[in-house]
């Protein structure tokens, strides 16, 4: 009632001043039309086949309880209430939501599952028989490609950087079990394009055909712009690779291309439903950033849907200058490939600056795992049942904790759990000394 009174008083004042006129109405209609256009754009964009049967994911709530001793205990609420005005346990307590994408698939989860959500159907539509990609020895991307290809009857060929470990574990083990692994010396691996091309030609043989995923994407959307044919991707293959017994496609390292943004935007559309996070409440999203692709996808989805959501990406693998450059590149590629849906959408004016890139809370040299961070992961696991790793998701957890403490009640914090939990096995193998103290 109080809010309605204020609105009525504001409306009366506006009428007295001559502003409650067609200009005011047009302004309100403009905001509504912008949201409508954004939702229509996203609906058109996401009208395709997907790898994941559903974009659904679990959302938990992590409560931070302050003890009299000054320490903080953690509590995981797996069935949180998403309505406004949620009561906190205590005045000093804080909380944040966590999107449990680490639970999407036992082996393919987090941002790897989202990146490949829109990519694999395109591969299938091109009647491909083999997929070639590359990554580090403990590459979650390579393992995801191997598992998803095996589930679809495709062969995967994985070029992994470095030497074969004495004992296979983590993502390295999964890649080997599900795919065909070749280890590449670091000096040769530096020329990724060349090693990918050679491996693809070797797999294809004399009678096979090799294509790059980027070329398929380019050709398919050129076709869609000129004539929206539902089977345009299959048409592309039938013209260029028919009668070839093996059709090999090359997917870049990490699948960090514009098509990887689609699955993240699909996730955001799901989260913005009224019974979940909704479209009106201001939120601070937190995500760890390797390549930064997931963060850009979140920010683009928020812009497309007109959501008052800020995306905070914790930088873990590069400089802020390079992250901003990657952001601009991905946005440019996204608009180029999917721009035929944009029309006069406000996204046309966006070239970058939509992600808030932040330093890790406890700066350190990337790759230098510390015992304290492993112990922090242990504490989180024991108190909440949530597994984070000391390299990536712990950084997002720390930032979400910090932002939730600073929140004044008007803005809530949401952490996206990007998975990668199998990486703990590889870390334990590489950093034995730190894990012996557990």
């Amino acid at each position: 009632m109080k809010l309605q009174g204020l609105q009525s008083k504001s409306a009366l004042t506006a009428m007295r001043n001559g502003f409650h006129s067609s200009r005011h109405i047009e302004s309100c209609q403009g905001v509504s039309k912008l949201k409508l256009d954004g939702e229509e754009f996203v609906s058109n964009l996401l009208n395709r086949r997907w790898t994941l049967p559903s974009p659904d994911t679990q959302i938990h709530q992590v409560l931070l309880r302050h003890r009299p001793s000054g320490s903080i205990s953690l509590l995981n609420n797996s069935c949180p209430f998403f309505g406004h005005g949620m009561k906190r346990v205590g005045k000093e307590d804080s909380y944040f939501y966590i999107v449990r994408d680490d639970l999407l698939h036992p082996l393919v989860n987090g941002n790897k599952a989202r990146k490949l959500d829109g990519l694999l159907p395109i591969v299938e539509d091109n009647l491909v028989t083999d997929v070639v990609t590359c990554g580090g020895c403990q590459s979650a991307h390579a393992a995801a490609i191997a598992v998803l290809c095996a589930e679809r009857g495709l062969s995967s060929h994985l070029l992994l950087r470095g030497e074969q470990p004495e004992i296979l574990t983590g993502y390295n083990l999964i890649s080997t079990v599900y795919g065909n692994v070749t280890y590449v010396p670091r000096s040769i691996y530096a020329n990724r394009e060349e090693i990918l091309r050679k491996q693809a030609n070797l797999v294809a043989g004399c009678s096979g055909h090799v294509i790059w995923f980027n070329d398929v994407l380019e050709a398919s959307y050129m076709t869609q712009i000129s004539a929206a044919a539902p089977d345009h991707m299959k048409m592309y293959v039938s013209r260029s690779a028919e009668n070839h017994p093996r059709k090999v496609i090359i997917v870049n390292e990490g699948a960090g291309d514009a098509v990887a943004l689609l699955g993240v935007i699909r996730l955001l559309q799901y989260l913005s439903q009224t019974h979940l996070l909704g479209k009106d409440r201001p939120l601070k999203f937190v995500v760890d950033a390797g390549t930064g692709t997931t963060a850009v996808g979140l920010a683009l989805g928020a812009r497309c849907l007109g959501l008052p959501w800020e995306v905070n990406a914790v930088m873990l693998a590069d400089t802020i200058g390079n992250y901003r450059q990657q952001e601009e590149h991905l946005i440019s590629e996204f608009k180029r490939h999917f721009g035929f849906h944009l029309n006069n959408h406000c996204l046309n004016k966006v070239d970058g600056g939509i992600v808030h890139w932040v330093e890790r809370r406890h700066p350190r040299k990337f790759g230098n795992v510390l015992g304290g961070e492993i112990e922090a992961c242990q504490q989180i696991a024991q108190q909440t049942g949530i597994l984070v790793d000391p390299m990536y998701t712990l950084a997002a957890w720390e930032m979400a904790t910090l932002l939730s403490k600073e929140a004044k009640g008007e803005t809530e914090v949401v952490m996206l759990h990007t998975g990668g939990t199998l990486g703990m096995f590889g870390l334990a193998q590489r950093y034995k000394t730190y894990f012996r103290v557990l």
Side-chain angles (χ1 to χ4, degrees):
M1 294 296 293
K2 184 177 181 181
L3 180 60
Q4 292 176 350
L6 288 173
Q7 290 175 332
S8 299
K9 183 177 180 180
S10 176
L12 181 60
T13 303
M15 290 181 66
R16 287 173 178 171
N17 292 330
F19 292 118
H20 197 281
S21 59
S22 59
R23 181 184 302 176
H24 176 76
I25 296 173
E26 288 172 3
S27 175
C28 295
Q29 290 176 340
V31 174
S32 300
K33 186 176 186 299
L34 182 62
K35 283 192 174 184
L36 179 62
D37 289 344
E39 292 174 0
E40 183 179 1
F41 163 63
V42 172
S43 295
N44 291 333
L45 183 69
L46 303 185
N47 184 24
R48 60 183 64 240
R49 288 202 309 117
W50 298 96
T51 303
L52 295 172
S54 168
D56 296 13
T57 187
Q58 296 185 38
I59 306 175
H60 292 184
Q61 179 194 34
V62 176
L63 296 170
L64 310 174
R65 289 179 168 173
H66 295 260
R67 293 174 174 172
S69 61
S71 62
I72 297 177
S73 63
L74 306 171
L75 177 66
N76 180 19
N77 176 14
S78 60
C79 298
F81 171 68
F82 296 108
H84 290 286
M86 183 176 61
K87 295 182 180 179
R88 301 187 180 185
V89 178
K91 293 182 179 179
E92 299 300 322
D93 296 331
S94 54
Y95 68 91
F96 62 88
Y97 295 112
I98 179 168
V99 178
R100 298 297 307 276
D101 265 11
D102 56 314
L103 303 178
L104 287 178
H105 187 285
L107 302 175
V108 184
N109 53 44
N111 62 341
K112 304 307 175 187
R114 298 297 179 182
K115 286 181 178 181
L116 298 175
D117 199 8
L119 186 147
L120 261 297
I122 297 176
V123 170
E124 290 182 289
D125 286 343
N126 275 278
L127 307 180
V128 165
T129 61
D130 299 78
V131 177
V132 175
T133 192
C134 63
C137 186
Q138 287 288 347
S139 170
H141 160 73
I145 287 286
V147 172
L148 292 176
C149 283
E151 290 179 348
R152 286 156 178 76
L154 306 176
S155 296
S156 62
H157 307 267
L158 317 169
L159 301 176
L160 301 185
R161 181 182 66 249
E163 302 75 30
Q164 178 176 340
E166 182 179 348
I167 300 176
L168 305 184
T169 186
Y171 288 115
N172 181 264
L173 175 60
I174 297 302
S175 295
T176 305
V177 170
Y178 283 85
N180 302 286
V181 170
T182 301
Y183 293 92
V184 180
R186 298 175 187 276
S187 58
I188 300 176
Y189 186 87
N191 191 349
R192 292 165 178 75
E193 184 174 331
E194 182 63 22
I195 64 169
L196 286 169
R197 182 183 291 108
K198 285 184 177 181
Q199 183 69 16
N201 288 331
L202 182 65
V203 173
C206 297
S207 58
H209 181 74
V210 176
I211 51 177
W212 288 79
F213 181 81
N214 284 347
D215 292 338
V216 172
L217 189 64
E218 186 75 25
S220 66
Y221 283 103
M222 287 293 289
T223 304
Q224 185 162 346
I225 291 173
S226 59
D231 295 326
H232 57 274
M233 296 174 190
K234 294 182 180 180
M235 290 166 58
Y236 173 76
V237 172
S238 66
R239 289 195 300 268
S240 60
E242 61 184 353
N243 301 322
H244 291 290
R246 302 193 77 164
K247 298 163 188 172
V248 185
I249 192 167
I250 301 173
V251 176
N252 286 329
E253 181 180 31
D257 303 302
V259 71
L261 304 175
L262 297 177
V264 184
I265 295 174
R266 185 188 184 206
L267 166 64
L268 215 70
Q269 184 190 53
Y270 166 78
L271 294 175
S272 65
Q273 295 179 93
T274 303
H275 69 285
L276 297 176
L277 300 181
K279 295 180 172 63
D280 300 321
R281 73 169 78 183
L283 299 174
K284 286 183 180 290
F285 257 82
V286 181
V287 63
D288 54 275
T291 64
T293 305
T294 303
V296 174
L298 289 172
L300 270 176
R303 282 298 182 98
C304 292
L305 292 168
L307 304 173
W309 296 359
E310 173 187 293
V311 177
N312 298 269
V314 187
M315 302 180 295
L316 299 174
D318 216 331
T319 64
I320 188 169
N322 288 339
Y323 273 116
R324 286 173 176 167
Q325 185 177 354
Q326 171 71 346
E327 177 186 357
E328 293 174 1
H329 168 73
L330 284 172
I331 293 173
S332 175
E333 287 298 293
F334 178 82
K335 291 195 293 186
R336 188 165 67 88
H337 286 306
F338 309 112
F340 53 87
H341 283 315
L342 282 171
N343 297 326
N344 296 321
H345 193 268
C346 64
L347 196 61
N348 280 320
K349 300 178 181 179
V350 174
D351 296 313
I354 60 176
V355 177
H356 182 210
W357 303 102
V358 295
E359 297 281 355
R360 184 176 182 133
R361 184 182 175 190
H362 300 301
R364 61 179 175 80
K365 184 178 179 181
F366 181 74
N368 180 24
V369 179
L370 301 178
E373 292 172 312
I374 298 173
E375 290 177 0
C377 295
Q378 182 184 36
Q379 178 191 10
I380 293 169
Q382 291 179 351
Q383 295 187 16
T384 68
I386 300 172
L387 181 61
V388 296
D389 76 279
M391 300 285 276
Y392 290 95
T393 46
L394 177 62
W397 183 285
E398 291 172 339
M399 183 58 62
T401 299
L402 179 64
L403 292 177
S404 65
K405 290 178 180 178
E406 296 175 348
K408 303 301 182 182
E410 298 177 356
T411 302
E412 292 178 304
V413 178
V414 181
M415 172 192 162
L416 174 61
H417 196 314
T418 55
T421 48
L422 278 178
M424 288 284 279
F425 296 91
L427 292 174
Q429 181 187 53
R430 182 177 179 182
Y431 302 99
K432 298 182 180 69
T433 303
Y434 293 113
F435 282 84
R436 285 193 182 121
V437 301
L438 292 180

